[in-house]
Amino acid sequence: MAAAPPGQPCKRCKVENAPYKLRNLATCRDCYVEHVVGKFRRSIGTMHKDIRASADLAPRRYLAGLSFGVSSTCLAQMLDDSARHHAAKQSSSAFEPLILHVDTDLTATIDDDTTPARRLLARYRQKYPHVSFDCVHLSRAVALKTVDWSTLMPADQASARVKDGDAGASDADRLRRVFDALPSVTSRADVLRLLVRHILIDAARTRGYDVVLLGHSTSALAALTLAEVANGRGFSVPGQVGDGLQTVCAYDAAGNETSRSSFPVYYPLREVLKNELVGYVDLIPALVEMKEEGLVDGLTSCGSQVVSHRDVSIEEVMQRYFDGVEGPYAGIVANVVRTADKLDRAAGGAFCRLCGMTLDESGDDRWAGDLGRDSGDSAAANLKGKLCYGCRRSVSG
């Protein structure tokens, strides 16, 4: 955490000797915490008004994703604190958050309680007793109806799945073959993020939760914004980065759409920079303990490490860039997200069968350009009308 010059008063409450620096202003501990938590509370309050179905008191059932990174860990801590606060108020509606981690280790056994992810999640349960935790394996995505697997699986694998359910292969094996067939690190990171998002939304819908909360900071959303543009999915930025309802389509094994609905997805930490969350960790006792025990990822910057570009996805490149500039140029980082939030979502009657965003045929042509247009016999051309341009590039290269 950046330290303020000694002897300066807090710019917010004027207390003497504010030791911390928050957006280049001297700040005391209480004002620093209030800055971070206040933005979270305001976001949650606005979200509650948006998704509230009636004026009657009803349980607030929120499902939040947990990656064990600094942002999602801070979100879990704030939800735990809110649950404790609501439990102490008899006049308040029940506050019932579920923190869900998606285990992306395809070598792990699905029902094995000794996997690293499940052991780490057990530590989180001990730290935050006022919220519920659960862990699901990434291979659960194979059973989802909200992904058209005929567009994602290799042709022979998709055909076998339709005919006989790909008997003899586990879901983890099928998914491993899907990732092995993807053309690049960026493609694998892109598809992985989308599948995790699908799993979280499906879990919230099937378990009766009202909304999905994702712990992206301002910096992470800015990185996601530019990564989506670089991946050829720029028209989807308002839906991928903005708060609000997301269209959820379901498909049968043959790839025919069977239903269409909507579900809210929100980013309650969208106005907090990552370095502010890193500083927040040092001010909350429970988070300090987790940091000392090595339970939180992403507390140190890796932007200075020299690596081969072949080993880094576009989204990670963008994340490293914003991690490096968010300190001196916090306003620019925030403006990226605010500008993206002002964009209108593309209207249309069809949706991408992987990312779920509106299919915009003319937009696809604009993103592809003359050099990116598919030839008539290419694998990507066969997916046109089913996947957006960005997802076709991720799947087919």
Side-chain angles (χ1 to χ4, degrees):
M1 181 191 302
Q8 288 194 3
C10 175
K11 295 296 183 181
R12 290 170 170 80
C13 69
K14 308 305 179 184
V15 69
E16 295 295 332
N17 297 322
Y20 308 113
K21 183 184 289 187
L22 180 63
R23 302 204 179 188
N24 297 321
L25 298 176
T27 308
C28 67
R29 179 198 179 278
D30 291 344
C31 288
Y32 194 111
V33 172
E34 178 57 32
H35 168 82
V36 175
V37 177
K39 288 183 178 294
F40 162 77
R41 289 173 179 167
R42 285 191 291 273
S43 180
I44 288 292
T46 301
M47 179 202 71
H48 180 63
K49 293 178 181 178
D50 291 343
I51 67 174
R52 191 173 184 178
S54 70
D56 298 332
L57 286 179
R60 304 185 186 190
R61 293 174 56 81
Y62 305 155
L63 185 146
L66 175 67
S67 66
F68 301 129
V70 58
S71 298
S72 62
T73 299
C74 288
L75 177 60
Q77 182 272 329
M78 294 177 197
L79 288 172
D80 180 79
D81 188 64
S82 296
R84 179 184 56 80
H85 173 74
H86 281 274
K89 293 177 59 178
Q90 296 182 353
S91 60
S92 175
S93 58
F95 192 78
E96 303 172 355
L98 170 66
I99 314 297
L100 185 65
H101 172 72
V102 179
D103 187 356
T104 59
D105 183 5
L106 291 177
T107 63
T109 304
I110 297 177
D111 298 323
D112 186 0
D113 291 334
T114 63
T115 61
R118 290 183 180 273
R119 291 200 304 268
L120 186 54
L121 197 66
R123 304 290 296 277
Y124 273 69
R125 285 193 184 96
Q126 296 173 359
K127 299 292 183 182
Y128 305 117
H130 301 97
V131 294
S132 301
F133 288 89
D134 196 8
C135 180
V136 298
H137 196 264
L138 181 65
S139 60
R140 298 288 177 88
V142 176
L144 296 181
K145 303 297 184 182
T146 54
V147 177
D148 180 3
W149 287 99
S150 66
T151 64
L152 190 57
M153 289 183 173
D156 56 343
Q157 187 176 344
S159 176
R161 184 174 182 266
V162 171
K163 291 179 181 178
D164 58 10
D166 201 6
S170 67
D171 287 344
D173 291 334
R174 297 188 190 100
L175 200 55
R176 194 179 301 113
R177 290 201 293 270
V178 167
F179 281 100
D180 289 343
L182 296 176
S184 67
V185 173
T186 293
S187 296
R188 288 188 283 274
D190 189 37
V191 172
L192 175 63
R193 180 183 63 82
L194 294 174
L195 291 182
V196 169
R197 184 184 177 98
H198 276 288
I199 290 174
L200 293 175
I201 293 176
D202 181 76
R205 295 173 67 210
T206 56
R207 301 187 190 195
Y209 285 85
D210 303 324
V211 64
V212 167
L213 304 180
L214 300 177
H216 292 54
S217 63
T218 304
S219 316
L221 288 176
L224 178 59
T225 298
L226 296 193
E228 288 293 87
V229 174
N231 285 332
R233 205 186 287 122
F235 67 91
S236 74
V237 164
Q240 291 281 355
V241 176
D243 292 335
L245 293 174
Q246 305 291 319
T247 301
V248 181
C249 299
Y251 306 93
D252 59 21
N256 301 310
E257 183 178 330
T258 58
S259 66
R260 184 179 297 181
S261 60
S262 59
F263 196 81
V265 177
Y266 280 76
Y267 299 91
L269 299 180
R270 64 182 303 114
E271 294 187 3
V272 186
L273 295 168
K274 180 182 177 181
N275 62 8
E276 294 171 354
L277 292 172
V278 172
Y280 177 78
V281 168
D282 293 329
L283 302 178
I284 305 300
L287 292 173
V288 171
E289 292 178 5
M290 298 185 72
K291 176 182 177 180
E292 293 174 348
E293 296 173 16
L295 303 180
V296 185
D297 296 331
L299 287 173
T300 58
S301 174
C302 57
S304 61
Q305 294 180 0
V306 178
V307 296
S308 169
H309 68 278
R310 296 180 181 179
D311 301 325
V312 182
S313 68
I314 289 177
E315 186 173 351
E316 187 175 353
V317 171
M318 297 299 178
Q319 185 64 64
R320 293 184 181 197
Y321 168 73
F322 281 109
D323 284 350
V325 303
E326 66 176 359
Y329 305 108
I332 294 177
V333 177
N335 281 338
V336 172
V337 179
R338 293 192 186 114
T339 301
D341 201 34
K342 295 177 181 178
L343 299 176
D344 294 329
R345 301 190 184 192
F351 295 86
C352 176
R353 302 185 179 199
L354 178 55
C355 71
M357 297 298 113
T358 306
L359 280 178
D360 177 10
E361 186 172 351
S362 61
D364 284 350
D365 290 340
R366 285 196 297 271
W367 286 115
D370 293 335
L371 296 179
R373 287 178 180 169
D374 305 314
S375 60
D377 58 351
S378 70
N382 296 330
L383 299 175
K384 194 166 187 178
K386 296 181 178 180
L387 299 182
C388 66
Y389 172 74
C391 287
R392 294 204 309 272
R393 293 274 67 84
S394 287
V395 172
S396 302

